[in-house]
Every structure is written in C-alpha cells, then in structure tokens.
Amino acid sequence: MTGTLARDAVDAVDVVLAELFEDRVRRAARHGEQYALLWRRLARSAEGGKRLRPRLLLDTHRAFGDPHPQDAAVAGAAFELLHTALLLHDDVLDQDRSRRGRLNLTGEFTQDAQADLPPRTADAWGEASGILGGDLLLSAAHALLARVRPAAYEALSALVDECLFRAAAGEHADVAFALGTVPATPEGLVRMMEDKTGGYSFAAPLRAGAALADAGEQADAELERVGTALGVLYQLRDDLLGVFGDARRTGKSTTGDLREGKRTLLVAFAEGHPAWTAVRHRWGAPDLDADDADALRAALVASGARDATERLVESRRREVVDLIGGTALPTALRHHLTDLADRIVDRDS
C-alpha cells in the first residue's frame, strides 16, 4: 500500500524473516514433528501480505537519510513478526479459521485433528496452536530487535513494549464491546481504534524508522500523532470492508464481523433505526447464515449507517492530510504519508 519503497529494501526484510524461520524450523525438529510443523506454518503465516509496517519503517528511515539500512531491515522484520503474532491471537479471539483467502494456522491444526477427534477437541488443538504460535513470534520479534546496534536497541525495545501495551488495551476493549461487558460509546470506539490499530500498525513503525535515524524528539512526536490518525482512518475503512467488501479481494470473510457482533462505528450509527432494530437479533448470532448477513447489510444501508461511516472516513482523511501538512517532517515523507492516507480510503483489500 505504501507504494514508493525500492523493492530491494523490502527484499532485505524478507531475507531476515527467511533466515529466522529456517533457523527456528531446524531447531524445532529436535522437539518433535508437530513442533516443527508449527514453525513451518508460522513461516507460511508470515508470507504474503502488504508488508505495510516494514514499509512504513523503511520509508521513514530513508526519508531521514537511511543511515542504518541493515538495522532498518531487521527492525522491519521484527514489526512484521509482531503483526503476524497479533493476527494469530486475534483469529483465536474472533474464532476465525481463515486469513488471506486460506485456512489460517488455527484452522490448519483444527483440520488436522478433525479426522480423529471430536469437534471441540479439534478446535482446542487449533486454538492452542494459534496462541502458542503468536507467543513464539512475539518472542522472536524481541530476539530480532536485540540484533540492532546497542545505541538504538533501548529506544526500539521501549517503543515495541509501548505499542504492544496499547494494542492489548485496544484488543481488550474490542472484546469487551463485542461481549457487551463495556458500553460501546463512540468515544470508546475511537480510543480502541487508536490503541489497537493506530499504535502498532502505524505510529510505532513510523517512529521506529525515525529513531533508527536519530531524527529527534519533534519528529517522534509528530509521527506519533500522524500514525495514530492514520490508524483510525485505516480501521474505519477496514470496518466497512469487513461487512461490504469483496472477500475475494480482502481474503477475509464478510460475515465474520456480523457473526461476532463486532461493535464498530458502522453499527453505532445504525442503532435505534427501525431497519436495524428489525434484524438486530441476528447480529452476533453464532449460526448466522448468508441470508441473515444480507439482511443485516441491507439494514446498515437503509439506516444510513454505511453513508455516515463513509462520510466520516472522508472527513478523517481531510483531517489527516491537514495534520501531515502542518508537520516539519521531510517533504518526501509528508508527500508519501499524504498519498498513504488517500490509498487507505480507496483500498478494497
């Protein structure tokens, strides 16, 4: 999605990842075939994708002179591992079995066990594998960060600790909203998006790229604000795609959020409207079928919730562009981040 980075820089991140997984698969083989299989599937889980977070880090580092390209590649790989780890955990929490148009790691281990074990036992095996796999990748990310030069390690380690702390706060709130244990106010939903997506997906990799280049406190503060705003914009668009997108393009089910009963601003805008009230009892139903999902989508349109969310996305885009334009960041980086805001709004995957 970021679009401007030289292919060689992204290739360097992929080399770091490939070497790490090759080492871990080899070591895992000494502990049994299932553990080696877990690591092989972790390697596959990290394949593909947009490499958004490494690209943000690398683009920012380059904008500030690209003084430490190898450290940037290693840190970019660490952020990709963080992302994959959190996706694995998120899929377990959401009881999703697919990702990027194929079975995810949890789904693969569940499928393995279904031939010989009862469904609940097979599910437990898959979910345990997903949780442990995510834990392993979090540990591996920290191991990678320890390879950057000592002068940068402390700052990066603290930054990753902070972004994971915030991501867990956002995920905890997201689950609470879905279960109804905490009221899903518009303010709470925005704060959840800032923590869950804005921190680790945008602000942290941007700040890491700048920190590796010793860009200074002002750049760090500006990238924190810009990154958090971009993350909210991204999540708003993601919520629309999660219900109205094309699963062939997104690689994710468009019924998952509706089946989960995910609390989003899209749903908040629909609350109280007769069209939504008439079908709301099916929202969050574990046995939600395609017809029910279509009825919920129709209600979100009829209530004006889809239009309201799309207007909010455009309003947020303008705010982010103004925010970027008011920073003292390098000109090339400001242009790049402005282009990114536009790409976020226009994306269909």
Side-chain angles (χ1 to χ4, degrees):
M1 177 184 293
T2 58
T4 63
L5 192 65
R7 182 68 243 177
D8 288 350
V10 181
D11 286 345
V13 170
D14 287 336
V15 168
V16 174
L17 291 171
E19 291 175 348
L20 178 135
F21 282 117
E22 181 180 0
D23 173 69
R24 298 302 166 103
V25 169
R26 178 183 54 78
R27 290 167 53 192
R30 299 196 297 267
H31 300 275
E33 173 54 31
Q34 284 298 315
Y35 194 50
L37 178 62
L38 175 60
W39 272 103
R40 289 196 297 272
R41 285 176 170 171
L42 286 171
R44 187 168 180 239
S45 296
E47 292 174 353
K50 303 178 183 70
R51 294 288 190 258
L52 170 64
R53 292 144 199 87
R55 285 175 177 272
L56 289 172
L57 188 154
L58 293 164
D59 275 331
T60 304
H61 187 254
R62 185 177 63 172
F64 285 102
D66 201 23
H68 303 286
Q70 183 55 36
D71 279 356
V74 169
F79 272 94
E80 190 64 20
L81 292 180
L82 292 179
H83 174 55
T84 306
L86 294 183
L87 289 183
L88 289 168
H89 286 164
D90 197 51
D91 284 346
V92 173
L93 289 169
D94 294 344
Q95 298 184 335
D96 284 336
R97 296 293 184 265
S98 64
R99 172 73 64 174
R100 294 172 180 164
R102 67 190 186 208
L103 283 177
N104 58 20
L105 183 143
T106 297
E108 289 177 325
F109 278 99
T110 299
Q111 185 179 71
D112 290 347
Q114 284 174 339
D116 302 312
L117 297 172
R120 290 184 63 182
T121 305
D123 285 341
W125 174 236
E127 290 176 0
S129 300
I131 292 168
L132 291 170
D135 292 346
L136 286 167
L137 293 189
L138 290 176
S139 176
H142 283 284
L144 280 182
L145 288 177
R147 290 166 45 183
V148 304
R149 69 190 195 284
Y153 171 70
E154 183 176 352
L156 287 187
S157 181
L159 199 160
V160 167
D161 179 66
E162 176 191 349
C163 79
L164 286 175
F165 190 86
R166 288 184 64 190
E171 186 66 64
H172 199 242
D174 197 15
V175 174
F177 295 152
L179 296 176
T181 59
V182 174
T185 64
E187 296 78 13
L189 288 166
V190 171
R191 184 169 61 250
M192 177 270 291
M193 289 185 278
E194 289 175 345
D195 287 339
K196 183 178 177 180
T197 306
Y200 99 88
S201 284
F202 288 87
L206 289 170
R207 293 172 63 196
L212 283 167
D214 299 315
E217 293 182 1
Q218 180 177 350
D220 181 71
E222 290 179 336
L223 289 168
E224 165 65 24
R225 291 193 295 272
V226 169
T228 299
L230 285 169
V232 173
L233 185 65
Y234 186 95
Q235 189 61 59
L236 286 169
R237 180 60 180 157
D238 208 54
D239 290 341
L240 282 167
L241 291 173
V243 175
F244 295 105
D246 183 343
R248 293 169 298 182
R249 299 283 298 171
T250 64
K252 293 175 60 178
S253 166
T254 54
T255 60
D257 287 356
L258 297 172
R259 185 179 295 113
E260 178 192 344
K262 185 176 180 181
R263 302 270 177 169
T264 63
L265 284 175
L266 178 66
V267 171
F269 286 139
E271 292 287 12
H273 191 281
W276 178 250
T277 301
V279 298
R280 192 183 187 281
H281 63 284
R282 297 304 302 155
W283 177 59
D287 60 346
L288 185 80
D289 60 25
D291 290 340
D292 290 332
D294 285 342
L296 289 168
R297 289 190 196 94
L300 290 169
V301 173
S303 67
R306 181 177 183 176
D307 286 343
T309 305
E310 289 176 343
R311 288 194 300 270
L312 179 60
V313 167
E314 179 54 30
S315 173
R316 284 272 180 169
R317 185 196 67 80
R318 292 194 298 268
E319 291 175 5
V320 172
V321 169
D322 288 345
L323 177 61
I324 295 166
T327 68
L329 297 169
T331 301
L333 183 58
R334 283 189 279 115
H335 289 164
H336 168 63
L337 293 174
T338 299
D339 180 64
L340 176 59
D342 293 335
R343 288 171 179 265
I344 286 172
V345 171
D346 293 336
R347 71 190 180 96
D348 57 6
S349 65

